[in-house]
């Protein structure tokens, strides 16, 4: 089966051609056009600007992906497109392209939840091209989904069977990274820059709070941590030499909360697999420390993390999610598919 994936939920335009072989996925092409430089001058993503830029590159991106994969549109078996959540105007670009292709080519169409796509990124090949062992016996699985817009713990009992266990009450972890980076004058998007800076600092230099770490639930909160850093910066006006320690201590606080809540969820729910997903899944400290903590506390649980190119928004993960929906015949009539900027993962079946 050959799946065309289309992703335009925020500020990356992505097209991927994914082929399902006998027991693994092959990414035949993967096109991504980032808008970071354009939105950096505004300090954040401007929805209408993002939509216009999607319009400019989505068809050339489709042509490039088909050329790299050495196929034509007629060779596509299924079209998978992100239908939500995300920015409404941005989502509409990808959805309309997907609907039009499905209509003109008479191909089956699936609308994919963007967050489900992030979880399914763990089904894609690793950096060496190896297929994860999750394809054999993954369920039940626990997903830690950490991105700029979402921080969630999700129980996955099967393909397309999601149960939301806990989520953030305010800022998502990635959002907190970007906001603290902006407070520190690191620009936009600041999360990756802050993490790079943190790699040279002392994570124990500052005792930032660990919000809700000890609360008897699986929910998160990062607004208070962000505010603590802001008050410190406003009061002490730290010098440039102090910034690595501030960044490292902040990053460590976020990682401690994410790991603590994940270990609590693993204690409460017996699972076979832990899936790390989302843009913040690329964070080196989180990947390393979560891996070590799970190996120490839950050695029977298989811990999987996506290959770095598939952590951030991309169409390969959307194609992977689309494959499993197609296997279950969960198609959408092209006339009925609509963008839903508030599509909750818990309402995905």
């Amino acid at each position: 089966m050959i799946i065309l994936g289309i992703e335009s939920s925020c500020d990356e335009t992505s097209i991927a051609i994914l082929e399902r072989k006998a027991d693994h996925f092959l990414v035949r092409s993967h096109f991504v056009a980032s808008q970071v430089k354009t939105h950096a001058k505004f300090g954040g993503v401007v929805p209408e600007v993002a939509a216009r830029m999607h319009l400019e590159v989505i068809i050339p991106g489709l042509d490039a992906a088909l050329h790299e994969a050495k196929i034509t549109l007629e060779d596509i078996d299924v079209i998978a497109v992100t239908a939500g959540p995300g920015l409404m105007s941005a989502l509409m670009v990808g959805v309309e392209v997907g609907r039009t292709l499905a209509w003109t080519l008479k191909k089956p169409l699936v609308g994919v939840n963007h967050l489900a796509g992030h979880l399914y990124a763990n089904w894609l090949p690793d950096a060496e091209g190896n297929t994860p062992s999750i394809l054999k016996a993954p369920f039940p699985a626990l997903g830690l989904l950490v991105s700029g817009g979402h921080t969630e713990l999700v129980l996955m009992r099967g393909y397309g069977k999601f149960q939301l266990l806990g989520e953030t009450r305010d800022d998502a972890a990635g959002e907190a990274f970007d906001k603290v980076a902006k407070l520190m004058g690191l620009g936009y998007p600041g999360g990756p820059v802050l993490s790079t800076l943190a790699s040279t600092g002392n994570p124990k230099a500052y005792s930032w709070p660990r919000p809700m770490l000890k609360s008897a639930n699986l929910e998160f909160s990062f607004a208070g941590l962000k505010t603590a850093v802001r008050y410190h910066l406003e009061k002490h006006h730290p010098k440039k030499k102090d910034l690595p320690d501030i960044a490292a201590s902040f990053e460590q606080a976020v990682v401690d909360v994410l790991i603590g809540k994940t270990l609590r969820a693993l204690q409460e729910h017996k699972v076979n697999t832990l899936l790390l997903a989302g843009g913040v899944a690329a964070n080196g400290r989180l990947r390393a420390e979560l891996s070590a903590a799970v190996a120490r506390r839950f050695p029977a649980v298989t811990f999987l993390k996506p290959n770095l190119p598939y952590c951030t928004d991309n169409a390969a993960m959307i194609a992977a999610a689309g494959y499993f929906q197609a296997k279950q015949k969960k198609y959408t009539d092209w006339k009925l598919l609509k963008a839903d900027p508030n599509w909750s993962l818990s309402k995905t079946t």
Side-chain angles (χ1 to χ4, degrees), residues 206-272:
Y206 297 89
S207 298
W208 304 125
R210 270 67 171 165
M212 300 186 70
L213 179 58
K214 297 183 178 180
S215 59
N217 56 49
L218 297 176
E219 297 190 338
F220 301 88
S221 172
F222 295 103
L225 170 59
K226 171 202 66 184
T227 301
V229 177
R230 188 191 79 189
Y231 285 162
H232 177 85
L233 295 172
E234 291 175 349
K235 181 178 180 180
H236 298 284
H237 304 287
K239 298 179 180 179
K240 186 176 181 179
K241 66 179 180 64
D242 300 317
L243 295 184
D245 287 348
I246 293 173
S249 298
F250 166 78
E251 182 182 63
Q252 188 65 61
V254 173
V255 168
D256 286 349
V257 172
L258 293 173
I259 292 177
K261 291 290 186 174
T262 301
L263 294 178
R264 177 186 288 273
L266 289 172
Q267 185 69 43
E268 295 179 2
H269 300 273
K270 184 176 177 59
V271 300
N272 295 331

Side-chain angles (χ1 to χ4, degrees), residues 119-325:
L119 291 169
Y120 281 114
N122 283 283
W123 274 254
L124 296 172
D126 62 18
E128 286 73 42
N130 300 313
T131 301
S133 59
I134 190 171
L135 290 173
K136 298 177 182 178
F139 303 117
L142 175 69
L144 172 62
L145 203 162
V146 198
S147 69
H150 300 84
T151 300
E152 301 180 357
L153 281 164
V154 179
L155 184 63
M156 196 172 176
R157 296 192 181 279
Y159 295 114
K161 297 179 180 179
F162 305 102
Q163 178 186 348
L164 182 62
L165 302 178
E167 61 186 335
T168 183
R169 294 182 175 181
D170 39 60
D171 292 352
E175 181 182 6
F177 265 92
D178 284 341
K179 287 181 176 179
V180 168
K182 186 174 183 179
L183 291 171
M184 296 173 65
L186 301 180
Y188 173 87
V193 180
L194 187 149
S195 292
T196 299
L197 185 65
S199 67
T200 65
N202 177 8
K204 297 181 180 179
Y206 297 89
S207 298
W208 304 125
R210 270 67 171 165
M212 300 186 70
L213 179 58
K214 297 183 178 180
S215 59
N217 56 49
L218 297 176
E219 297 190 338
F220 301 88
S221 172
F222 295 103
L225 170 59
K226 171 202 66 184
T227 301
V229 177
R230 188 191 79 189
Y231 285 162
H232 177 85
L233 295 172
E234 291 175 349
K235 181 178 180 180
H236 298 284
H237 304 287
K239 298 179 180 179
K240 186 176 181 179
K241 66 179 180 64
D242 300 317
L243 295 184
D245 287 348
I246 293 173
S249 298
F250 166 78
E251 182 182 63
Q252 188 65 61
V254 173
V255 168
D256 286 349
V257 172
L258 293 173
I259 292 177
K261 291 290 186 174
T262 301
L263 294 178
R264 177 186 288 273
L266 289 172
Q267 185 69 43
E268 295 179 2
H269 300 273
K270 184 176 177 59
V271 300
N272 295 331
T273 311
L274 172 64
L275 309 172
L276 182 60
V280 183
N283 181 276
R285 190 185 302 272
L286 175 60
R287 290 166 80 93
E289 295 192 11
L290 181 57
S291 178
V294 172
R296 184 174 60 253
R297 292 276 303 276
F298 301 93
V301 173
T302 299
F303 174 54
L304 293 176
K305 47 190 181 295
N307 191 8
L308 290 178
Y310 305 133
C311 290
T312 52
D313 295 350
N314 67 89
M317 69 183 193
I318 301 304
Y323 166 80
F324 290 108
Q325 287 181 229

Side-chain angles (χ1 to χ4, degrees), residues 21-217:
K21 296 287 192 176
D23 61 350
H24 66 281
F25 285 118
L26 172 64
V27 181
R28 295 186 57 167
S29 64
H30 186 209
F31 170 87
V32 180
S34 175
Q35 303 175 9
V36 167
K37 291 183 179 179
T38 298
H39 296 289
K41 68 182 84 170
F42 303 111
V45 178
V46 181
E48 297 310 316
V49 172
R52 287 197 294 272
M53 295 187 72
H54 286 311
L55 283 169
E56 292 173 1
V57 301
I58 196 164
I59 299 304
L62 174 62
D63 290 339
L66 291 169
H67 178 75
E68 181 183 347
K70 296 181 173 59
I71 64 171
T72 67
L73 285 172
E74 285 71 23
D75 296 317
I76 299 295
D77 295 307
V78 177
I79 298 168
V81 58
T82 301
L87 303 175
M88 183 62 176
S89 56
L91 286 167
M92 288 176 64
V93 176
V95 167
E96 290 308 309
V97 170
R99 292 175 69 241
T100 301
L101 289 172
W103 172 57
T104 56
L105 298 170
K106 302 296 186 289
K107 302 288 186 178
L109 175 69
V110 290
V112 174
N113 183 291
H114 179 77
L115 303 180
H118 274 303
L119 291 169
Y120 281 114
N122 283 283
W123 274 254
L124 296 172
D126 62 18
E128 286 73 42
N130 300 313
T131 301
S133 59
I134 190 171
L135 290 173
K136 298 177 182 178
F139 303 117
L142 175 69
L144 172 62
L145 203 162
V146 198
S147 69
H150 300 84
T151 300
E152 301 180 357
L153 281 164
V154 179
L155 184 63
M156 196 172 176
R157 296 192 181 279
Y159 295 114
K161 297 179 180 179
F162 305 102
Q163 178 186 348
L164 182 62
L165 302 178
E167 61 186 335
T168 183
R169 294 182 175 181
D170 39 60
D171 292 352
E175 181 182 6
F177 265 92
D178 284 341
K179 287 181 176 179
V180 168
K182 186 174 183 179
L183 291 171
M184 296 173 65
L186 301 180
Y188 173 87
V193 180
L194 187 149
S195 292
T196 299
L197 185 65
S199 67
T200 65
N202 177 8
K204 297 181 180 179
Y206 297 89
S207 298
W208 304 125
R210 270 67 171 165
M212 300 186 70
L213 179 58
K214 297 183 178 180
S215 59
N217 56 49

